[in-house]
Amino acid sequence: MLDTLIKNAVVLTMTDSGVIGNCSVGIKDGKISYVGADTPEAREVIDAKGHIVMPGLVNAHAHTAMCLMRGYADDYTLKSWLFDKVFPVEARLDERAIVAGTVLGMAEMIRTGTTSFSDMYFCEPAVAEAVLKAGMKANLSNAVIALGDNYDFEKDRAVIETRTLLGKYGVSGDVRADVSIHAEYTSPPHIWQRVHEWAKEYGAVTHIHLSETKSEHEEAKARHDMTAAAAFEKYGILDTKTLFAHGVWLEESDLEILARHSSSVAHCPVSNLKLGSGVANVRAMLDARVNVCLGTDGACSNNSLDLFEEVKLAALLAKGSSFDPTALPAYEALKLATVNGAKAQGRGGETGSIEIGKAADLIMIDTSKPNLRPIYDSIAAVAYSAHGSDVEMTMVNGRVLYRNGEWLTIDVEKAIREVEEYAVPIVLNK
Amino acid sequence: MLDTLIKNAVVLTMTDSGVIGNCSVGIKDGKISYVGADTPEAREVIDAKGHIVMPGLVNAHAHTAMCLMRGYADDYTLKSWLFDKVFPVEARLDERAIVAGTVLGMAEMIRTGTTSFSDMYFCEPAVAEAVLKAGMKANLSNAVIALGDNYDFEKDRAVIETRTLLGKYGVSGDVRADVSIHAEYTSPPHIWQRVHEWAKEYGAVTHIHLSETKSEHEEAKARHDMTAAAAFEKYGILDTKTLFAHGVWLEESDLEILARHSSSVAHCPVSNLKLGSGVANVRAMLDARVNVCLGTDGACSNNSLDLFEEVKLAALLAKGSSFDPTALPAYEALKLATVNGAKAQGRGGETGSIEIGKAADLIMIDTSKPNLRPIYDSIAAVAYSAHGSDVEMTMVNGRVLYRNGEWLTIDVEKAIREVEEYAVPIVLNK
């Protein structure tokens, strides 16, 4: 007997099986145990008539707690945004505020169909507990930044937190540790190598910001006499799994390097435009066989965590910037947010597609609304017409986290109150 | 006694009054008769606590009935999209199908906060009746295309429909006639001048596609020895109100021409990217004092009629393509979809802002959801974080068209059925 059966669905498997109409998905012990035309017995039956069922989305680059600063610092130059607004606030944020912001962000992600995210921020051991409570999946890291003569690796909070996460969660399970070098320009190569030691020892993903802005990219070249990607390769950082965020200014030779080492790039189109960084060449990355996935970045430079926006914008920008409407078709855009995201997180065998044996990380999209009708092609409907608000149900490991306007693991009113009563005064320094 | 009072709202007036907290908006005979801190007596009181109230949005370039082809022709080259997919379908569509598609599109627009739209399509006299029934406002036109030696102006369906619309509705009222030259490349100057005669006689807006693709722009220059904008000026077409769609490839001299004649440009960022046309330079247009507004274009090249997407994307593209995050701030982006759109439609005195004497064309945005919290700045919240799905109420002339999941003037289930049972088989030629 199955635990749950979702029946009568249009299923986007995101595998070679393609789109299956009138299909059932059976769930047992949190895993997908049946996909097909029959309706095996189950303790709970969800009728998905008029709905599309697809894998939960993967947000591969997030600073989730930055929801605290959603709408706090818009339309500033990058430097002013960072130095006048973001950094001073971050220096004031405490663990309670960061957890509050993360819970708010998770409420939004769950509501808009994201089931797993890669988070790079502070107080991650406390964030880990909040993630477990919310029932999501996350790869968590606190990025090492080693600036100044007095930097002491052993005393760095990022180092301490990384060790805590690695020790407590390792690199498997719903919550797991990533290791993180913040970026080329915020630490020297000998520090990268210390982070890399963890990656080797634990098999962790190394999460790194890379070539986000032109000046950053050019300054790296001046510093290392090679691009940042090449420098990371030179110091051996790419020998283990790497997930690079942004990659707006990557050169052709960088793409070869990243492809050779099976690196992933989290494309963050909204944030890259909003901060005036530019447009990453996703088509070129995919052609070079780089694993491209999608990220929202923080809500302070977005200002949304709805991954459906990123899917559509990734497709639109690839087409618009190449003057070629075939540049990134709907299915490839959806792959970025599912299969490729899962792979980037080291969860390729676990989530990102609907197939027997994978976790039941699923979302159900209500297609009864006018914005999704008529439907000639379910893939196009999801990539180009759907919004996160069309998600009616979000499930992780077979457990329903959101359905029909109700969050089952987060008290959203309380989460908003905690953000606005506790954290916002800290942001505003009041 | 007022008819309706909306109280406790955060009101984005889109005037010099800015954002007013804890504000009431009073409505009498379909018009705004009060804006302020008091709560005058009214027959109906809407408590807008926790809501933002702002002007309804104006979609200044739409082919609404193309909802029939939503998701029917994605990821094709522009030529193949037009000649293999769109044109053959349009040749088959009849009035009943077009009305069905328009009603579906209006359901989506009403739900996502659009109260007025400029439609360019076929069977517009029948569309006009559907618009009146739905309670929206629209400028309607059937564009003149005069190709081939056998073209007969008097027998052109677009000409006949334009005369009907002008005669029946004139250029005032909720539904009104625009006149339309499809584009520079689809008719010769002497035909433009015949269309222009109507514009002069009636004071109608002339709605024209302009410099959407590079090849179109270049071919116009070869044909006229000047740009399309300059050619329209030369033949006097700009002497009356003009609304140009797209303007992706406009040159600096074109902007001067358009500004000199108080022309409007409907920027359609999603469609321009999706068809691989490029990115219009909105900042340059605004700096040149061209009235820039926003359009969704048809759902076949979008595939959504949610104007909130266009607002955010307009801001993002202006920033990203100039590498300047200050290029188009939130407030200016919102102006495109409100004040400027109204002006482009010739409705500047009637709608697009919240001030006494204007029509009560209003929307109410529910800010209780996590994606809109916290709110430091209501303008940024609406421009960067809100989606059309956050609209809780849409009102035109004081009449509620949508509220809380219910459409009050459109039977949406029936509209979808009509589209899928009657029109989709025509699209599919079955």
Side-chain angles (χ1 to χ4, degrees):
Chain A
M1 174 108 98
L2 298 176
D3 296 328
T4 310
L5 185 79
I6 304 176
K7 65 175 189 181
N8 296 323
V10 171
V11 175
L12 311 196
T13 62
M14 302 309 295
T15 72
D16 292 341
S17 304
V19 179
I20 313 175
N22 232 323
C23 179
S24 296
V25 179
I27 299 160
K28 175 92 185 155
D29 298 330
K31 293 194 168 163
I32 296 166
S33 61
Y34 178 80
V35 180
D38 292 338
T39 52
E41 234 185 309
R43 252 186 300 278
E44 202 205 342
V45 176
I46 297 174
D47 191 346
K49 197 168 153 52
H51 291 73
I52 290 170
V53 171
M54 64 174 291
L57 307 184
V58 178
N59 184 348
H61 183 64
H63 310 291
T64 310
M66 288 183 87
C67 280
L68 296 177
M69 288 179 264
R70 186 201 311 274
Y72 169 70
D74 298 300
D75 310 329
Y76 286 90
T77 61
L78 183 60
K79 214 165 197 172
S80 176
W81 180 78
L82 263 178
F83 289 90
D84 301 337
K85 308 293 280 189
V86 174
F87 287 161
V89 169
E90 289 185 338
R92 290 195 296 272
L93 293 178
D94 61 16
E95 183 178 289
R96 182 174 163 188
I98 286 170
V99 169
T102 307
V103 172
L104 181 65
M106 287 194 293
E108 185 184 0
M109 286 197 273
I110 289 170
R111 199 265 164 272
T112 52
T114 291
T115 49
S116 186
F117 62 106
S118 290
D119 197 56
M120 187 202 278
Y121 214 59
F122 315 111
C123 306
E124 290 288 355
V127 165
E129 287 171 38
V131 175
L132 288 173
K133 216 169 137 195
M136 291 188 79
K137 297 184 173 184
N139 289 29
L140 304 176
S141 63
N142 185 333
V144 169
I145 297 178
L147 295 171
D149 294 338
N150 299 321
Y151 177 75
D152 183 343
F153 189 78
E154 294 304 322
K155 287 190 180 151
D156 182 349
R157 202 172 71 169
V159 170
I160 295 164
E161 286 189 13
T162 304
R163 287 195 173 124
T164 303
L165 290 170
L166 284 168
K168 190 157 180 189
Y169 301 101
V171 298
S172 61
D174 293 342
V175 164
R176 59 182 66 172
D178 279 354
V179 300
S180 174
I181 299 160
H182 173 266
E184 172 279 331
Y185 61 96
T186 46
S187 55
H190 69 93
I191 295 291
W192 307 348
Q193 289 175 320
R194 293 190 71 167
V195 172
H196 183 57
E197 288 302 315
W198 291 323
K200 276 192 291 190
E201 186 183 340
Y202 289 89
V205 174
T206 307
H207 194 163
I208 309 176
H209 291 107
L210 179 68
S211 299
E212 178 176 2
T213 68
K214 184 157 197 252
S215 59
E216 169 200 335
H217 183 73
E218 296 303 329
E219 282 162 26
K221 281 164 81 169
R223 200 157 22 237
H224 296 282
D225 214 21
M226 63 183 77
T227 64
F232 285 127
E233 182 186 44
K234 175 181 165 187
Y235 291 100
I237 311 307
L238 306 189
D239 298 346
T240 50
K241 288 191 285 269
T242 46
L243 166 57
F244 291 102
H246 306 302
V248 176
W249 293 92
L250 293 176
E251 303 179 17
E252 217 179 293
S253 59
D254 292 332
L255 302 188
E256 283 163 28
I257 292 170
L258 298 183
R260 191 158 62 236
H261 294 278
S262 304
S263 299
S264 296
V265 173
H267 177 41
C268 302
V270 173
S271 173
N272 295 155
L273 290 177
K274 187 152 184 286
L275 294 175
S277 306
V279 177
N281 192 340
V282 170
R283 184 69 263 159
M285 290 188 206
L286 290 170
D287 288 344
R289 303 194 165 273
V290 173
N291 181 56
V292 182
C293 47
L294 291 176
T296 57
D297 211 356
C300 192
S301 60
N302 188 311
N303 302 347
S304 160
L305 300 184
D306 180 347
L307 214 56
F308 284 87
E309 279 187 49
E310 313 288 336
V311 169
K312 184 168 183 176
L313 189 54
L316 292 178
L317 286 178
K319 297 167 193 298
S321 59
S322 66
F323 307 114
D324 175 5
T326 72
L328 191 68
Y331 187 70
E332 269 192 286
L334 275 185
K335 270 187 75 182
L336 307 184
T338 53
V339 183
N340 296 11
K343 193 174 163 198
Q345 290 195 311
R347 296 182 192 265
E350 172 197 336
T351 191
S353 61
I354 295 185
E355 48 192 314
I356 290 171
K358 281 205 170 179
D361 301 341
L362 307 173
I363 61 176
M364 218 163 90
I365 295 171
D366 176 9
T367 63
S368 71
K369 299 171 190 170
N371 62 305
L372 289 171
R373 300 296 278 270
I375 298 188
Y376 295 97
D377 174 345
S378 299
I379 298 284
V382 170
Y384 299 136
S385 301
H387 297 102
S389 54
D390 295 317
V391 172
E392 187 180 300
M393 192 267 284
T394 301
M395 173 187 273
V396 173
N397 294 330
R399 177 186 183 195
V400 175
L401 306 187
Y402 172 87
R403 192 168 180 189
N404 256 335
E406 295 207 32
W407 285 260
L408 303 175
T409 56
I410 294 176
D411 180 337
V412 172
E413 274 182 44
K414 196 177 140 203
I416 291 174
R417 218 163 42 237
E418 173 75 355
V419 163
E420 299 191 345
E421 290 175 10
Y422 183 76
V424 166
I426 299 175
V427 172
L428 296 173
N429 206 10
K430 270 182 181 164
Chain B
M1 171 109 96
L2 299 176
D3 297 327
T4 310
L5 185 79
I6 302 176
K7 65 175 190 181
N8 297 321
V10 172
V11 175
L12 311 196
T13 63
M14 302 310 295
T15 72
D16 291 342
S17 305
V19 179
I20 313 175
N22 232 325
C23 180
S24 296
V25 179
I27 299 159
K28 176 94 185 152
D29 298 331
K31 291 192 171 167
I32 297 166
S33 60
Y34 178 80
V35 180
D38 292 337
T39 52
E41 231 185 311
R43 252 186 301 279
E44 200 205 342
V45 176
I46 296 174
D47 190 346
K49 195 167 153 56
H51 292 73
I52 291 170
V53 170
M54 65 175 288
L57 307 184
V58 179
N59 184 349
H61 183 64
H63 311 290
T64 310
M66 288 183 89
C67 280
L68 297 177
M69 288 180 263
R70 187 201 309 276
Y72 169 70
D74 298 301
D75 309 328
Y76 287 88
T77 60
L78 183 61
K79 216 167 197 173
S80 176
W81 181 78
L82 264 179
F83 289 89
D84 301 337
K85 308 293 281 186
V86 173
F87 287 162
V89 169
E90 289 185 338
R92 289 194 295 271
L93 292 178
D94 61 16
E95 183 179 290
R96 181 173 163 189
I98 285 170
V99 169
T102 307
V103 173
L104 181 65
M106 286 194 293
E108 185 183 358
M109 286 197 274
I110 289 171
R111 199 266 164 272
T112 53
T114 292
T115 49
S116 187
F117 61 106
S118 290
D119 196 55
M120 185 201 280
Y121 214 60
F122 315 112
C123 305
E124 290 288 356
V127 165
E129 287 172 38
V131 174
L132 287 173
K133 215 169 136 196
M136 291 188 78
K137 297 185 174 183
N139 288 29
L140 305 177
S141 63
N142 185 334
V144 169
I145 296 179
L147 295 171
D149 293 339
N150 298 321
Y151 177 76
D152 183 343
F153 189 78
E154 293 305 322
K155 287 191 180 150
D156 183 348
R157 204 171 71 170
V159 170
I160 295 164
E161 287 189 12
T162 303
R163 287 194 173 125
T164 303
L165 290 170
L166 284 167
K168 190 158 179 186
Y169 302 102
V171 300
S172 61
D174 293 342
V175 164
R176 60 182 65 171
D178 279 354
V179 300
S180 174
I181 297 160
H182 172 266
E184 172 278 331
Y185 60 97
T186 46
S187 56
H190 70 92
I191 295 291
W192 308 348
Q193 289 173 320
R194 294 190 72 169
V195 173
H196 182 57
E197 287 304 315
W198 291 323
K200 277 192 290 191
E201 184 182 344
Y202 289 89
V205 175
T206 308
H207 194 163
I208 309 176
H209 291 107
L210 178 68
S211 299
E212 177 177 2
T213 67
K214 183 157 198 253
S215 59
E216 169 199 335
H217 183 73
E218 295 303 330
E219 283 162 25
K221 282 165 82 170
R223 202 158 20 237
H224 295 281
D225 214 21
M226 63 183 75
T227 63
F232 285 127
E233 182 186 43
K234 176 179 166 189
Y235 291 100
I237 311 306
L238 306 190
D239 297 345
T240 51
K241 287 192 284 269
T242 46
L243 166 57
F244 290 102
H246 306 301
V248 176
W249 293 93
L250 292 175
E251 302 179 18
E252 217 178 294
S253 59
D254 292 332
L255 303 188
E256 283 162 30
I257 292 170
L258 298 183
R260 190 156 64 235
H261 294 278
S262 304
S263 300
S264 297
V265 173
H267 176 41
C268 303
V270 173
S271 174
N272 294 156
L273 290 177
K274 187 152 183 286
L275 294 176
S277 307
V279 176
N281 192 341
V282 170
R283 184 69 266 159
M285 291 187 204
L286 291 170
D287 289 345
R289 303 195 165 272
V290 174
N291 181 56
V292 182
C293 47
L294 291 177
T296 56
D297 210 358
C300 192
S301 60
N302 190 310
N303 302 348
S304 161
L305 300 184
D306 180 348
L307 214 56
F308 284 87
E309 279 186 51
E310 312 289 336
V311 169
K312 183 168 182 177
L313 189 54
L316 292 178
L317 286 179
K319 298 166 192 297
S321 58
S322 65
F323 308 114
D324 175 5
T326 73
L328 190 70
Y331 187 71
E332 269 192 286
L334 274 185
K335 270 187 74 182
L336 307 185
T338 53
V339 184
N340 296 12
K343 192 173 164 201
Q345 290 195 310
R347 298 182 191 266
E350 170 197 338
T351 191
S353 62
I354 295 183
E355 48 192 315
I356 290 170
K358 281 206 169 178
D361 302 341
L362 307 173
I363 62 176
M364 218 164 89
I365 294 171
D366 175 10
T367 63
S368 70
K369 299 172 189 170
N371 62 304
L372 289 171
R373 301 296 278 269
I375 298 187
Y376 297 97
D377 174 346
S378 299
I379 298 283
V382 171
Y384 299 137
S385 300
H387 297 103
S389 54
D390 295 316
V391 173
E392 187 180 298
M393 192 264 284
T394 301
M395 172 187 273
V396 173
N397 293 330
R399 177 187 184 196
V400 176
L401 306 187
Y402 172 88
R403 192 168 181 190
N404 256 335
E406 295 206 32
W407 285 260
L408 304 174
T409 56
I410 293 176
D411 180 336
V412 172
E413 272 182 46
K414 196 177 142 203
I416 291 174
R417 218 163 41 236
E418 173 75 354
V419 162
E420 299 192 346
E421 288 174 10
Y422 183 76
V424 166
I426 299 174
V427 172
L428 296 174
N429 206 10
K430 273 184 179 163

